[in-house]
Amino acid sequence: MTDLTHTQSLAPVQISLKQVVKSFGSTRIIDHLDLSIPQGQKVALIGPSGSGKSTVLRLIKGLESYQHGSIEVAGAPIPVKHWRWPSARRAPVVHRVGMVFQHFNLFPHLTVQENITEAPFRVLKLSREEANARAEQYLGLVGLSHKADAFPSQLSGGQQQRVAIARALAMRPQVMLFDEVTSALDPELVGEVLAVIRAIAHEQQMTMLLVTHEMKFAQDIADRVLFMEAGKIVADGTPRQILVNPDNERTRRFLNLVEQR
């Protein structure tokens, strides 16, 4: 066990899923899933399409209901049917978690600066000055300070995704979720987005959970890699254990297929 892994094993649990079941109709997507992630750990979640990876992120963010089990983020529960909560009770939990999606979901009628300041101003009730200061900070972090007054349509796909990352970070979440954030990008734009996430992983202390098919990237930034299939985690270990020398046959077959693409 590395010193980092040992330190994290002593850290408080930031994300906890216990016996979680999620079905769409008669199809079970998440099957009695147990998952515990300590504070500050960087975790890559890999596996074939349809294995439930993105659904796990959406459950942690509180975007999906579930039928059984329990979910906690930073010690606060995400109820089974969260949308029935009064919004005033929901907000303190949901805003602890930032999420960046495959598609950028920027507001097309707002500038880059306005896309980032909208939630801190309206949801966190920061002053305009404070919200603008955060936007400047995180635009600098993602290398787009010079695009503050541009509209999303004037940006490349990679730049839009970097704005989406800055927007999520501006809420100062305790947990960051990344859901295949490069899958909608042209290949030549993937590197710039991965570089930003790599810098965040190395420089920020927040907990991170990333769904990705970029295996070299996962190996570079993750403390831990989970392999998921049919709604269950079937392999859990260090990047070397899972990505370099996997002892799970299903994991080996998956990695061989990824390498052939």
Side-chain angles (χ1 to χ4, degrees):
M1 181 181 290
T2 65
D3 290 342
L4 175 61
T5 303
H6 178 68
T7 299
Q8 290 172 337
S9 70
L10 301 177
V13 173
Q14 190 94 65
I15 299 171
S16 174
L17 286 76
K18 295 180 180 178
Q19 289 293 292
V20 172
V21 173
K22 166 67 179 177
S23 298
F24 291 109
S26 61
T27 304
R28 182 164 289 183
I29 306 300
I30 304 298
D31 188 6
H32 294 90
L33 181 68
D34 289 316
L35 174 61
S36 179
I37 300 176
Q39 182 179 336
Q41 193 171 68
K42 313 300 189 283
V43 180
L45 184 56
I46 67 171
S49 297
S51 59
K53 305 183 301 298
S54 294
T55 301
V56 169
L57 267 58
R58 292 178 65 84
L59 288 169
I60 293 169
K61 177 62 175 170
L63 298 175
E64 296 280 357
S65 63
Y66 55 102
Q67 286 80 36
H68 179 78
S70 65
I71 301 175
E72 290 187 357
V73 178
I78 304 292
V80 170
K81 294 186 177 179
H82 62 87
W83 62 80
R84 293 183 179 177
W85 283 11
S87 59
R89 287 182 57 201
R90 211 166 102 198
V93 178
V94 174
H95 298 144
R96 297 177 188 192
V97 183
M99 186 166 178
V100 183
F101 300 85
Q102 297 178 27
H103 299 284
F104 328 122
N105 299 331
L106 300 179
F107 297 113
H109 62 291
L110 300 180
T111 66
V112 165
Q113 178 102 355
E114 290 166 343
N115 263 280
I116 297 172
T117 60
E118 192 72 2
F121 175 69
R122 296 190 181 278
V123 178
L124 299 183
K125 307 301 182 183
L126 299 186
S127 68
R128 281 293 183 192
E129 292 76 14
E130 291 173 312
N132 283 329
R134 283 200 187 183
E136 291 170 8
Q137 175 186 353
Y138 292 109
L139 279 175
L141 180 65
V142 302
L144 289 174
S145 298
H146 61 297
K147 295 292 186 179
D149 297 324
F151 287 90
S153 62
Q154 298 171 309
L155 305 179
S156 70
Q159 289 172 331
Q160 290 186 61
Q161 192 61 290
R162 285 152 62 192
V163 173
I165 293 170
R167 180 174 62 180
L169 290 172
M171 295 294 285
R172 303 238 172 116
Q174 293 172 273
V175 173
M176 276 291 291
L177 310 174
F178 296 90
D179 186 12
E180 289 282 13
V181 295
T182 60
S183 64
L185 298 177
D186 293 333
E188 64 269 21
L189 301 177
V190 168
E192 66 184 67
V193 174
L194 295 184
V196 167
I197 299 174
R198 186 178 286 107
I200 295 168
H202 291 161
E203 297 170 13
Q204 305 286 325
Q205 297 303 309
M206 69 180 68
T207 309
M208 293 172 60
L209 180 57
L210 309 95
V211 172
T212 183
H213 280 99
E214 301 284 345
M215 297 304 142
K216 179 62 169 66
F217 172 68
Q219 190 174 340
D220 285 347
I221 74 161
D223 305 310
R224 177 181 173 197
V225 178
L226 311 175
F227 178 77
M228 192 167 182
E229 185 174 45
K232 297 181 178 181
I233 293 169
V234 297
D236 179 351
T238 66
R240 172 167 288 277
Q241 290 169 331
I242 304 300
L243 300 176
V244 180
N245 296 309
D247 57 13
N248 179 282
E249 174 60 28
R250 181 64 187 92
T251 305
R252 286 198 295 270
R253 292 202 310 269
F254 171 76
L255 293 173
N256 286 336
L257 287 173
V258 170
E259 290 174 1
Q260 293 169 16
R261 291 176 184 171

